[in-house]
Amino acid sequence: AAGVIQSPRHLIKEKRETATLKCYPIPRHDTVYWYQQGPGQDPQFLISFYEKMQSDKGSIPDRFSAQQFSDYHSELNMSSLELGDSALYFCASSRQQEMETQYFGPGTRLLVL
Amino acid sequence: KNEVEQSPQNLTAQEGEFITINCSYSVGISALHWLQQHPGGGIVSLFMLSSGKKKHGRLIATINIQEKHSSLHITASHPRDSAVYICAVRQGAQKLVFGQGTRLTINP
């Protein structure tokens, strides 16, 4: 069965650079969630989208923005990167109306030097 | 105090032992998830519960809504079960709030 796809899987950036992370949900899933997991920490919710509209917002810095496109894939844009942004970024998808479980992608490991 | 508390934080056991990981939460939830995270970082959803009990292979998850408590049990544990097990609660239809995880190590 198709799973959630994230790209890239690994990314190395320098401070003050920008990064774009991509998430491709499971087919027919209409909701995408982004989570950030710092080293040794619990995953923290950043933002979610349902039918291309932002549906909930968590602890996402103002330097970050995200959107969901017409094909339901989502991109997380991160600007003015800081060392503290180094983390594992997970995307998850679900089908909202059926209140299904969230399926997680493999994550993008971002390292900011 | 975290909204989701897990215990124990670390657990080491011998192969074959029966394992129990507990999760307590303090908020209203629509569902509770048990997740498994391996050293490489990938997260796998094991169970989603809103009531009662679910079983999948050697894994059993229970939830008591009145007591706001859930348990994950592993029978006949195996070294390949070594991972971090995370309890996460869903509030409404949206985001998950994660517990701090339980690091399980099963020794041969």
Side-chain angles (χ1 to χ4, degrees):
Chain A
V4 177
I5 297 171
Q6 288 188 247
S7 68
R9 293 292 307 277
H10 298 89
L11 189 58
I12 299 175
K13 291 285 186 178
E14 296 192 358
K15 284 195 306 183
R16 293 180 287 277
E17 285 191 324
T18 61
T20 298
L21 309 185
K22 298 184 179 182
C23 170
Y24 297 86
I26 291 173
R28 293 186 299 282
H29 280 194
D30 50 21
T31 305
V32 169
Y33 310 81
W34 285 98
Y35 298 91
Q36 177 193 55
Q37 185 178 28
Q41 298 179 3
D42 327 328
Q44 296 291 321
F45 172 73
L46 292 178
I47 196 167
S48 63
F49 292 89
Y50 167 61
E51 285 291 343
K52 292 151 279 184
M53 299 285 289
Q54 180 183 308
S55 55
D56 199 358
K57 192 173 180 179
S59 51
I60 183 169
D62 292 340
R63 299 177 289 107
F64 294 7
S65 65
Q67 61 183 106
Q68 185 180 32
F69 295 85
S70 57
D71 63 351
Y72 295 101
H73 95 272
S74 178
E75 295 184 4
L76 178 65
N77 298 294
M78 311 159 70
S79 63
S80 302
L81 287 169
E82 302 174 357
L83 297 179
D85 296 329
S86 296
L88 191 55
Y89 290 84
F90 287 105
C91 168
S93 75
S94 71
R95 199 154 44 187
Q96 184 79 300
Q97 288 197 341
E98 298 184 10
M99 297 282 282
E100 287 190 359
T101 189
Q102 294 182 21
Y103 292 85
F104 285 81
T108 294
R109 190 171 295 278
L110 172 66
L111 178 61
V112 181
L113 301 175
Chain B
K1 190 178 189 303
N2 292 334
E3 292 174 314
V4 183
E5 295 275 353
Q6 285 184 236
S7 64
Q9 291 192 22
N10 292 282
L11 179 57
T12 300
Q14 291 299 121
E15 183 173 356
E17 286 189 36
F18 181 79
I19 303 299
T20 296
I21 299 171
N22 295 299
C23 175
S24 296
Y25 53 93
S26 57
V27 295
I29 69 170
S30 56
L32 182 143
H33 296 248
W34 280 102
L35 309 168
Q36 181 190 55
Q37 185 171 31
H38 279 278
I43 291 179
V44 175
S45 180
L46 299 174
F47 295 103
M48 183 181 73
L49 295 163
S50 54
S51 65
K53 180 169 80 173
K54 286 189 176 180
K55 184 176 188 293
H56 181 67
R58 296 181 293 106
L59 302 178
I60 303 167
T62 64
I63 188 169
N64 185 316
I65 298 295
Q66 287 73 28
E67 295 185 4
K68 295 188 174 180
H69 180 268
S70 176
S71 293
L72 176 69
H73 306 284
I74 305 175
T75 62
S77 59
H78 190 275
R80 64 174 175 265
D81 297 326
S82 298
V84 175
Y85 291 84
I86 303 172
C87 169
V89 299
R90 188 167 70 191
Q91 298 178 284
Q94 296 300 327
K95 66 181 181 184
L96 295 180
V97 177
F98 292 77
Q100 74 272 40
T102 295
R103 184 173 298 277
L104 175 66
T105 303
I106 304 296
N107 293 318

